[in-house]
Structure formats: structure tokens, C-alpha cells
Amino acid sequence: MKSTVTIHRDFTIARIDDRLYAAFIEHMGRAIYGGIYEPDHPTANAHGFRQDVLELVRGLNIPAIRYPGGNFVSAYKWEDGIGPREDRPVRLDLAWRSKETNQVGINDFAVWAKDAGIEMMLAVNLGTRGIEDARNFVEYCNHPSGTYWSDLRRSHGVADPYGVKMWCLGNEMDGPWQIGHMEAKEYGRLADETSKAVKAFGGGIETVVCGSSNDEMPSYPDWERQVLEECYENVDYISLHKYFGNSSRDTLNYFAKIEETGRYIQSIGGVIDYVKAKKRAKNDIYICFDEWNVWYHNREEDSKNWHSWDWPEAPALLEEDYNLEDAIFVGGLLNEFIRRSDRVKIACIAQLVNVIAPIRTKTGGPAWATTIYYPYQFASLYGRGTALNVAVDSPQYNAHVAQDVNYLDVAAVLTPDGKSITVFAINRHLEEEMDVNMALHGFGDLTVIDHQVMGGDASKARIANTADQPDLVIPRKGDKLSVDGGELTGRLPAFSYSVIRLAVG
Ligand code: AHR
């Protein structure tokens, strides 16, 4: 198979917001307890956080993290997690039928996030609570001193305010499973008033209003229209969520779900434009894709378990063993976010540790990187800067979810200093190699800095990394590409994900 690709320095899509590579972590399963926090673990620091996990997290250079939920947030009382640990109440978490010990709360999480070099993005509970609770939480976190909530924070040993800028207005409020689920108009009104109250604290706060839980919800996309009609002028982002899987074992269709995601983004972009025009609004709002990932390997089994179990503490939940195919899929999804970076400013991999995660742990044992860790890492490290328009002429296929899908999936980014280009390229074909000819105009002479490849053999699609064999699926150096002037040529292995870094000039 043969494909040609054309890129020009002046044909750009958008400046990528670094937060396109953000993450999400929730109080559920073993994400917090037994994930990032395990005081008895041999690598735990004085605060009880696992250093081996922190090291893997740091390797991802994550700009921001959404916390503490998720469905969990919709019945969460954040005050349960502050003050001396021994005084904190144990509660039943209604979202995941588990016991929440509150041994990690906002101040503990802030210590972890600071250590990891990640900015916090906090969600308020609009399920069982409302404006009053949101206002108190923001005051506790962001006000310097001299008020009830700020002085309470100071009495808990945190002298300086956190200055949290990003606040999510609840979670998946369209979902009947959500505690405190609402109708669109009702939620839109509440989100509008909460956003105004939260922003009244100043400090450049940005808010994220809940869009649909996914594009298969019966109320999608009218939910977005109705919600935005209530709050457009007072919010900054609307959230999108989508989880993926390949239960039918149809790999090409699985990969084509990325096209479907492109349509999802495009449709919500259209709704945003419609409401903006209807309201004669001056402000722009963008997309915060604040939950995305592969979630299907144990989904049915997990769901059976947690609906009937007897309130366990930090149970294993949604611990997916990601394989090579999932890694290639995640690389493709990140490519789509780069291509849509004019609309999508924030995207959060859901989640970060143990629960549908790039990092897994054994309690008392090792931590390891799952297969999807690598494409997420490459995108976060080398996908920052300006997204370039990429014209691709590739053989195509038809799938159940999309027609005319390119076998070659490409995204390209010019780094902020203009000194290098990263090309993320996927050959989706299961058997055939792809001869590529990429013409990169306007950059002068290029040289290859590095070429990393994952995959190359579809018979290994279902291989996953495990605690005992954490390095079964990792990137390796590619050697089949060369550059002459501004032309990159060579061969991409079948069923592979590549990161090609080129030096400019
Ligand atoms: O990430 C797992 C769950 O998926 C989140 O709690 C919820 O927001 C979504 O439905």
C-alpha cells in the first residue's frame, strides 16, 4: 500500500492547549487507595503516596488533573476529607457501592498533585448539593485568609491558597444513573448560577458545564443546546465523555470509532455556534473532553459485581488489561484531538491509576505502565505546540461506524520553539506495510531526530503488559524512514503506531 502526505508550515489548525493531555482521577476502585495512596507500601513517602507511581506519573508530564469524580462527586461532601485523618468520617459511596474512608481529601490530593507537578481541576457536587457548597469549597481552596473557610484551611496547615482555576460544574448530569440527575433546563439554570458564584471569587476562574455523558444518550445533542441556552455567557467549556471498546473483535471498526469521535466533536462545535448566534453572545466556549479512554475488557463483569457487592473498601474495579490494539487506538484518538484542537482545549484521559488507566499497581507490589501509557506519553511530551493541517491521500476502507476511513492516520505538530516537528502516524492495515511519502513544505532541510514504533504484527494485538511482564508491549526504535530535504519517505509496518520527530533547518 502507498500513501502520500502533504504538510505546509503556514497551514495550521490551532495552537494546542497543553491541557489537551490532562488526566482524570476519581475516588473509586483502587485509583486513590492502593493506587496513588498506600501508606504501608515500601515506596510510600511521609504523606503516604507511592513514589513508584509518582515516578510513572511524572514521566507523562501531565498538565492538569480532574478530581475527585466522576459519578463519585455527585454525593460527595468535600468537608469529610479535611482536618485530622483520625477524625474523618467513613461514608458509603453511592456511585460505586463502596466504603469511602476519606483518608485522602483535598489537602492531601493537593500535596500529591504538587509533587507530581500537575495543576488541579476540581469538580463540585451538583447532584446532592449546590451553589452554597460550591461557594464554600472555592473559598476554602482559593481565598487567602480572614474568612471562615480560608482560616479553616489555614488551621489545617495550608497557609497559601491553591488558586484553583478550573472548576467542573457537576458530572454527567444527563445520566439517570447520576445521583441528583436533572433535566437539561433545570441543570443549565443551576450551572449558570453556580458558575457565576464560583467566578465571583476572581482569580480568572474557568468553568466546565456538563454536556452529554456520551453521544449515544437519547437526549444528545439537544441536552447541550438546552443547557447552553441557559448558561452560555457564564461558562468557558462544555464537557464531552466517550469510552470505547472492541467487543465484536472487529479491529478496523474499532479504529473507525475515531472518525465517529470527530463527528461528535464537530456536532457539539455546531451546537456551540448555534447557541452563540442565537444569544448574540460575544464570548467563545470550547470543548473539554474530560473523560475518554478504552473501557470494555471487564466492563460487563465489573458492572455485575459492583451492583451487588457489600460496600467494600477500595475494591478492584475497572482494572482493564490494555493490549497493543488499545495502544494503537489511543494513539489514533489523540491524533483526532490534535486535529480538532481548534475546538478541544482540554482532554482528560480517564483515568490515571488502576481504574481504566495507563498505570497499574499491585497492593504492596509493583507499579507498571500499561500499553496505552506510551502513546499518551508521546503525545504529551511531543504533541505540544501548533497543530498542522495534514492532507492525506491513503487507501481507505468501510466500517460499520464510518465509511471511507483512511488506513493511514496522521497528525502533525510544530513544537513551540519552531525547531522540530512531530508526526504521529498509524498504519491501521492489519497485514500490509505502508509506503509513505511525506512532503513537508516551508521548513527547509529536515533531519530525523527519532522514530519510535509500537506494533508491527497484528497477531500480537491482544498482548498486554502485566505486573510480572511489564515490558511485553513497549516502543522500539524504527529504522525504515529517511529524509531528503523536506521529504520523508519509507515504510510503516502493518498495524503500527509511529512517532517521528524531525529537526527543522
Ligand atoms: O470513569 C468512570 C466513570 O465513567 C465516571 O465516574 C463517570 O463520569 C463515567 O460514567
Side-chain angles (χ1 to χ4, degrees):
M1 276 195 315
K2 282 193 171 62
S3 289
T4 59
V5 174
T6 312
I7 295 170
H8 193 290
R9 188 181 193 130
D10 295 337
F11 295 165
T12 61
I13 299 168
R15 178 70 195 225
I16 296 168
D17 191 314
D18 285 354
R19 295 171 300 175
L20 199 67
Y21 309 114
F24 164 49
I25 194 162
E26 175 168 5
H27 279 248
M28 73 171 285
R30 295 171 60 249
I32 301 287
Y33 307 110
I36 63 170
Y37 180 78
E38 195 184 325
D40 294 335
H41 192 270
T43 72
N45 63 15
H47 300 284
F49 293 113
R50 287 180 63 150
Q51 297 294 295
D52 55 347
V53 175
L54 257 171
E55 210 166 295
L56 282 163
V57 170
R58 287 196 195 104
L60 293 166
N61 194 20
I62 299 168
I65 189 155
R66 178 170 171 254
Y67 170 88
N71 294 340
F72 170 79
V73 81
S74 293
Y76 180 50
K77 231 177 136 189
W78 63 271
E79 303 93 311
D80 288 344
I82 55 178
R85 279 202 167 102
E86 60 278 14
D87 296 343
R88 298 183 193 174
V90 174
R91 303 252 187 215
L92 298 182
D93 161 28
L94 303 179
W96 303 107
R97 238 187 121 77
S98 311
K99 217 166 267 156
E100 170 58 51
T101 62
N102 284 302
Q103 291 304 290
V104 172
I106 179 61
N107 296 323
D108 316 294
F109 186 71
V111 167
W112 179 85
K114 190 169 180 212
D115 231 16
I118 309 178
E119 187 180 347
M120 291 191 292
M121 172 178 176
L122 300 179
V124 298
N125 171 356
L126 292 189
T128 59
R129 307 184 95 187
I131 304 175
E132 171 74 357
D133 163 57
R135 172 187 97 102
N136 297 344
F137 195 15
V138 177
E139 188 173 318
Y140 183 88
C141 290
N142 283 7
H143 196 68
S145 62
T147 65
Y148 175 78
W149 290 107
S150 57
D151 287 344
L152 185 62
R153 185 199 67 241
R154 290 170 68 88
S155 77
H156 294 149
V158 185
D160 295 330
Y162 297 124
V164 177
K165 283 222 158 64
M166 288 172 279
W167 291 87
C168 302
L169 306 168
N171 177 70
E172 294 189 348
M173 300 301 293
D174 64 321
W177 59 86
Q178 201 69 219
I179 313 262
H181 152 74
M182 285 174 203
E183 294 307 316
K185 275 205 179 309
E186 196 187 357
Y187 168 67
R189 284 282 308 122
L190 178 61
D192 190 48
E193 293 303 330
T194 310
S195 191
K196 283 195 278 179
V198 160
K199 286 185 175 200
F201 285 92
I205 283 179
E206 296 186 323
T207 54
V208 184
V209 69
C210 296
S212 299
S213 302
N214 59 69
D215 54 347
E216 283 165 29
M217 295 297 289
S219 52
Y220 163 84
D222 208 49
W223 168 273
E224 280 81 354
R225 176 189 66 77
Q226 291 193 50
V227 166
L228 287 180
E229 283 185 2
E230 298 300 324
C231 65
Y232 187 96
E233 283 102 333
N234 291 315
V235 300
D236 304 280
Y237 304 92
I238 184 157
S239 72
L240 269 64
H241 291 180
K242 194 168 169 69
Y243 290 99
F244 304 86
N246 183 18
S247 313
S248 59
R249 293 277 189 257
D250 180 348
T251 302
L252 287 179
N253 190 56
Y254 182 33
F255 292 162
K257 291 180 183 176
I258 289 160
E259 311 286 313
E260 206 183 32
T261 310
R263 289 200 297 265
Y264 183 16
I265 294 168
Q266 195 168 330
S267 301
I268 298 304
V271 176
I272 292 171
D273 290 348
Y274 168 80
V275 178
K276 178 177 179 179
K278 186 170 175 188
K279 295 188 84 106
R280 275 71 176 157
K282 298 271 178 288
N283 61 313
D284 285 310
I285 77 164
Y286 295 96
I287 290 171
C288 172
F289 214 121
D290 56 28
E291 284 187 35
W292 66 264
N293 210 344
V294 174
W295 175 9
Y296 81 100
H297 294 283
N298 312 323
R299 193 168 181 158
E300 233 170 87
E301 198 52 35
D302 274 340
S303 170
K304 270 188 237 146
N305 287 339
W306 71 260
H307 277 105
S308 59
W309 64 30
D310 194 18
W311 307 100
E313 201 179 303
L317 188 57
L318 278 51
E319 301 201 0
E320 300 259 305
D321 288 324
Y322 290 124
N323 58 35
L324 171 61
E325 181 182 80
D326 300 326
I328 296 175
F329 175 85
V330 163
L333 191 62
L334 287 158
N335 278 0
E336 189 64 23
F337 290 153
I338 292 170
R339 288 190 292 261
R340 304 276 173 173
S341 55
D342 52 339
R343 287 284 192 189
V344 184
K345 297 295 171 192
I346 308 172
C348 306
I349 189 170
Q351 301 187 10
L352 186 60
V353 184
N354 284 332
V355 174
I356 37 177
I359 299 168
R360 294 276 302 277
T361 70
K362 283 255 186 249
T363 303
W368 71 99
T370 66
T371 62
I372 65 167
Y373 181 94
Y374 299 101
Y376 175 44
Q377 181 184 45
F378 283 128
S380 177
L381 295 184
Y382 306 120
R384 300 187 188 206
T386 302
L388 298 167
N389 243 309
V390 183
V392 179
D393 186 2
S394 152
Q396 297 182 322
Y397 66 93
N398 290 330
H400 178 63
V401 296
Q403 304 289 300
D404 305 324
V405 182
N406 284 342
Y407 277 108
L408 179 67
D409 172 12
V410 187
V413 177
L414 181 64
T415 55
D417 60 7
K419 291 185 179 160
S420 63
I421 306 164
T422 309
V423 177
F424 301 96
I426 292 165
N427 177 6
R428 291 169 167 163
H429 203 287
L430 305 186
E431 283 129 29
E432 291 184 35
E433 293 182 321
M434 174 84 71
D435 284 330
V436 286
N437 185 308
M438 293 194 197
L440 294 118
H441 300 288
F443 300 99
D445 287 344
L446 299 169
T447 45
V448 177
I449 305 170
D450 191 23
H451 176 200
Q452 294 288 323
V453 191
M454 290 183 78
D457 182 353
S459 71
K460 299 197 169 134
R462 315 254 173 260
I463 296 184
N465 293 337
T466 62
D468 298 334
Q469 291 184 290
D471 295 333
L472 284 179
V473 186
I474 55 171
R476 61 176 199 282
K477 213 160 169 55
D479 56 7
K480 289 191 176 152
L481 292 175
S482 60
V483 73
D484 183 10
E487 199 167 298
L488 180 76
T489 51
R491 204 162 266 191
L492 299 175
F495 191 71
S496 70
Y497 163 84
S498 281
V499 184
I500 307 143
R501 293 172 51 227
L502 304 162
V504 172

